[in-house]
Amino acid sequence: PEVKKFVAWDYVVFAALFLVCASIGVFFAVKERKKKTSKEFLVGGRQMSCGPIAFSLTSSFMSAVTVLGTPSEVYRYGASFILFFLSYALVIIFTAELFLPVFYRSGITSTYEYLELRFNKIVRLAATLIYILQTILYTGIVVYAPSLALNQVTGFDLWGSVVATGVVCTFYCTLGGLKAVVWTDAFQMTVMVAGFVTVLVRGTALNGGSTKVWEDAYEGSRLNIFDFDVDPLRRHTFWTIVIGGTFTWLGLYGVNQSTIQRCISCKSEKHAKMALYLNLLGLWTVLVCAVFCGLVMYSHYKSCDPWTADFISAPDQLMPYFVMDIFSSMPGVPGLFVACAFSGTLSTVAASINALATVTLEDLVKKGFPNLSEKMSTWISKGLCVLYGALCTSMAAAASLLGGVVQVS
């Protein structure tokens, strides 16, 4: 069946997302123009409260890879992904109780400062350079992946959306600093959940209600969740997800610059811990939405798989294809879903740009020029945001030559 492409209303909804994000940047640039320090710009003057930070953490770690990848994974291999429920809980407990207190009390801005306190300058420099390289490469993929999947299904212009993402993120990071990033993330988190819920409600209604979806999933053996097999070659088992997942995410959460930077921007250690625990609720919400979307999709396509029938060319496109399919009669709603996928991207990219600028200023620039004035530091921070924004966007072009999204990342 020919699935409809984007119509005018979809573009309106999508453009609205970018406009709101950009205007949040302008708002904070105007509101904070009197406070010219680089601390204000990079860590919000350490005066943030736990609510927005919690939203911000959730939305940066739920990139479009989650929005597009998790449902198609559940659709193809079953709901064992829901076990991440446990991994996330363990990760947040370890981060809040072990890592955060050390970083918060030592009063540092870049996590790599800790390495110098603990070891020496060389270790710090090496870690900083590796981090900068890795983040630029990864961010390129985060920008390219959703643009590609959406382009092939919705006819949404590929390079147009890559460039738009890069420009908008760079714009609000450079103007508004960390506060703009955090508040935009909070807005994008709302959009992500709204997009998921819309798909869930409509998809469940079309497939005969939740009981029917559940029965279909059960009959298609998509609910075999607990697999205690110790064979490491199995795709998903209890051990690989709970233990493997915990260690993977601990690296992302416990010591990652963009997480720690947000936690130390809180006004007290208590607020920072609260932010982490509230963010756990956010992670759980997004996870449950993504897994259920996969099951609804399975119920919808159980007798005709669009991927094996060659309606789409990669599993990443299942979710957008499904959305275009069930909402073809409702212009504007596919636009909301695309906005949902891009919210994940925008928040991840913005967090990366902000963290890269911080690390470069604290670990490289201030090492070379220790006597920089505050005003100069702020201007350099802004310049770095622009530079990294451009680098990450150009990396997306390189990512286009590398093959499958999960492989690349």
Side-chain angles (χ1 to χ4, degrees), residues 15 48 98 101 105 111 165 223 263 295 350 358:
M48 305 294 287
L98 295 175
R105 290 166 199 171
T111 47
T165 307
L223 299 180
C263 291
L295 295 177
T358 308

Side-chain angles (χ1 to χ4, degrees), residues 6-19:
F6 254 37
V7 294
W9 275 111
D10 297 318
Y11 284 108
V12 171
V13 172
F14 184 74
L17 169 81
F18 276 23
L19 274 173

